[in-house]
Amino acid sequence: MLYHYTNFPGLLGILGSQSIWASSCSYLNDSTEFNHSLGFAKQIAGGIFENDDYLEAFGWQLRHGLESLAPEDLYVASFSEKGDLLSQWRGYCPSGAGVSIGFDRSALDSYCTDHNYRFSKCIYDHEAQVLAISTMV
């Protein structure tokens, strides 16, 4: 199970629309997450075209694409592996008025795959972040 924390109006919106809305990265609590991962990707892309003549055109195009990416271009919906986490209650359920809704992880994964969305875990370990970005690039 993965859990989505929200307030009561959010719950009514989810039930009424039978969907979870993703938010623009520009409205995240911590906007540095976007800049942090984009910085890794630019650094790795820069290394591609600076060190390999064969891949120079690909690396340049990738770097150009990353340079033009803005927080408004990406949307995220957040879930937690824990259904009762104090930090999530504080962040998403003001005044203790909210809910933690459980979703089947495999159903979310299938939905994202079917609709060409990326479904991935937030990575906090620096080495794991570099490896994940390197793999994507």
Side-chain angles (χ1 to χ4, degrees):
M1 294 291 282
L2 292 176
Y3 300 90
H4 182 73
Y5 290 79
T6 189
N7 57 21
F8 289 122
L11 172 65
L12 293 175
I14 290 168
L15 295 174
S17 66
Q18 295 185 6
S19 61
I20 295 176
W21 288 20
S23 298
S24 168
C25 282
S26 57
Y27 295 108
L28 294 177
N29 310 23
D30 186 0
S31 60
T32 61
E33 292 175 347
F34 171 81
N35 295 324
H36 185 67
S37 58
L38 190 59
F40 277 144
K42 287 178 185 177
Q43 182 180 13
I44 292 165
I48 290 173
F49 72 88
E50 291 171 2
N51 298 325
D52 190 329
D53 290 341
Y54 181 73
L55 294 175
E56 181 178 1
F58 169 73
W60 184 88
Q61 189 65 30
L62 178 60
R63 177 75 187 224
H64 178 71
L66 292 169
E67 290 289 344
S68 64
L69 192 61
E72 300 82 32
D73 297 330
L74 296 174
Y75 289 76
V76 297
S78 299
F79 298 90
S80 174
E81 293 177 329
K82 300 191 188 278
D84 189 13
L85 196 58
L86 183 57
S87 61
Q88 298 296 309
W89 288 118
R90 286 180 175 161
Y92 300 102
C93 305
S95 305
V99 295
S100 169
I101 310 165
F103 293 90
D104 179 82
R105 180 189 302 253
S106 61
L108 287 171
D109 191 33
S110 295
Y111 181 86
C112 290
T113 299
D114 292 347
H115 292 85
N116 204 25
Y117 298 140
R118 184 168 181 88
F119 183 66
S120 46
K121 186 174 183 172
C122 188
I123 302 169
Y124 294 99
D125 178 72
H126 177 74
E127 289 180 21
Q129 290 172 342
V130 172
L131 178 61
I133 295 291
S134 297
T135 302
M136 282 189 256
V137 169

